[in-house]
């Protein structure tokens, strides 16, 4: 069975918990990296989608990029409580360009 996880600051992930997603509240990018490595270990109930708050993701991009060529999990960057920093939007743009072959956004 596939699941969905959210990694970010406690203020950012609390709403996702109410939706029934697995949430991981972290205080630093090092904690985010540790959680990412732990929840992406092969197991029976893997995560299909992992949302990561942009402010945490900016510091662990090399770890996130390791999943770019894999079909699962899809790692999606989301804005934090203080709003977007543009990292998620630029990742989306790159994915669209890769899929379509040109910038349509």
């Amino acid at each position: 069975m596939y699941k969905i996880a959210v990694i970010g600051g406690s203020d950012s992930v609390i709403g996702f918990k109410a939706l029934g997603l697995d949430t991981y509240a972290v205080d630093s990018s090092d904690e985010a990296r540790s959680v990412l490595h732990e929840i992406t270990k092969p197991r029976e109930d893997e995560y299909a989608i992992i949302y990561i708050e942009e402010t945490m993701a900016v510091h662990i991009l090399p770890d996130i990029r390791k999943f770019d060529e894999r079909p699962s999990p899809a790692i999606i960057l989301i804005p934090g409580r203080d709003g977007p920093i543009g990292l998620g939007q630029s990742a989306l743009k790159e994915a669209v360009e890769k899929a379509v072959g040109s910038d349509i956004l």
Side-chain angles (χ1 to χ4, degrees):
M1 175 183 220
Y2 290 107
K3 302 185 296 181
I4 299 174
V6 183
I7 302 171
S10 58
D11 291 344
S12 297
V13 302
I14 192 78
F16 292 99
K17 189 171 191 75
L19 296 173
L21 305 182
D22 292 347
T23 58
Y24 298 90
V26 296
D27 294 320
S28 70
S29 56
D30 288 332
E31 280 185 72
R33 178 183 290 111
S34 178
V35 168
L36 178 64
H37 287 288
E38 183 61 34
I39 68 174
T40 55
K41 289 181 180 177
R43 62 180 96 201
E44 189 174 309
D45 56 343
E46 295 181 353
Y47 288 99
I49 301 171
I50 300 173
Y51 294 104
I52 303 178
E53 184 180 341
E54 287 179 320
T55 54
M56 300 292 174
V58 71
H59 302 289
I60 61 169
L61 284 176
D63 299 278
I64 293 170
R65 295 290 179 230
K66 292 177 184 176
F67 297 95
D68 283 352
E69 301 300 320
R70 298 183 192 177
S72 180
I75 298 182
I76 301 167
L77 307 182
I78 58 173
R81 192 185 105 164
D82 297 330
I85 61 173
L87 191 60
Q89 184 176 2
S90 97
L92 176 61
K93 182 179 177 184
E94 287 176 31
V96 169
E97 283 181 26
K98 185 176 178 182
V100 177
S102 66
D103 181 9
I104 62 170
L105 297 178

